Amino acid sequence: RETANYTINLDYDFKVFDDPNEMMKAIKEKNNIDNKSRVVAGYCYDWVTKHNSDPNLFDICLEKGFNARWNFNNTKTWAIDEKSIDQIGCIHTCQGLEFNYVGVIIGKDLIYKDDMVMTDFTKRAKTDQSLKGIKTTKNFSLADTIIRNTYRTLMSRGQKGCYVYCEDKELA
């Protein structure tokens, strides 16, 4: 619909990738320009490396051999540290920040089924405090809202472009 902002330049780079490695490669290429691109993910992956520096341990393990760790323990520099391009940010490390390009990993908590985009709070990380108590309160509507808002926030961090990888192939 027409709004006061109807003259917005819609030259925006949006791509959906079938391979998480290809998405990461594309974001790294954008980041090489000005260190203003990062990859983020929904809260589907436990932060097993938080207190474990084993270099063979990863938080996010996807198809095609993609392995990554969550952001640095020091989240104050994650968005600007040149080495952080190899790590994955979460909603807490990127909310309120903008990058030129953002890569978003959509986990199994957001799927496409029966001609609808649906959420599944049981696929969130055990460490996700935002959904604490959902099972006992049975407030599934709140869980749905939180999950959708997480991805809405993550996908809005890129000012020039957003690249997406979905674990659920139907959603992609």
Side-chain angles (χ1 to χ4, degrees), residues 20-166:
N21 297 296
E22 291 298 317
M23 184 192 72
M24 180 64 94
K25 179 182 173 187
I27 289 294
K28 284 183 175 183
E29 288 172 2
K30 295 296 185 185
N31 191 63
N32 284 337
I33 297 168
D34 55 14
N35 192 37
K36 292 184 180 179
S37 299
R38 294 291 180 273
V39 176
V40 295
Y43 239 177
C44 297
Y45 314 97
D46 289 321
W47 195 359
V48 296
T49 63
K50 185 173 185 176
H51 301 291
N52 190 330
S53 60
D54 180 349
N56 299 313
L57 190 61
F58 298 96
D59 303 304
I60 302 170
C61 301
L62 303 173
E63 67 175 332
K64 302 184 182 190
F66 180 91
N67 295 307
R69 294 171 180 255
W70 280 118
N71 46 264
F72 297 123
N73 286 335
N74 180 355
T75 59
K76 292 178 183 174
T77 62
W78 175 81
I80 59 171
D81 191 308
E82 290 182 17
K83 295 179 184 175
S84 67
I85 188 63
D86 294 319
Q87 298 195 348
I88 309 299
C90 68
I91 189 164
H92 305 295
T93 54
C94 74
Q95 191 169 353
L97 300 174
E98 278 82 28
F99 305 105
N100 282 342
Y101 285 83
V102 66
V104 180
I105 298 171
I106 298 179
K108 294 180 180 179
D109 59 342
L110 190 67
I111 61 171
Y112 187 78
K113 182 178 177 182
D114 299 328
D115 294 327
M116 292 177 41
V117 175
M118 305 171 78
T119 61
D120 183 352
F121 75 92
T122 66
K123 302 298 184 194
R124 295 285 273 211
K126 295 183 294 283
T127 54
D128 178 13
Q129 294 298 307
S130 67
L131 296 181
K132 190 173 185 177
I134 292 294
K135 285 183 184 176
T136 53
T137 63
K138 296 184 177 10
N139 192 346
F140 305 123
S141 175
L142 176 61
D144 181 76
T145 298
I146 290 170
I147 293 168
R148 289 174 189 269
N149 284 343
T150 296
Y151 289 112
R152 183 178 300 116
T153 300
L154 295 176
M155 293 178 73
S156 66
R157 300 302 88 194
Q159 294 179 319
K160 295 181 179 180
C162 177
Y163 297 166
V164 176
Y165 167 78
C166 303

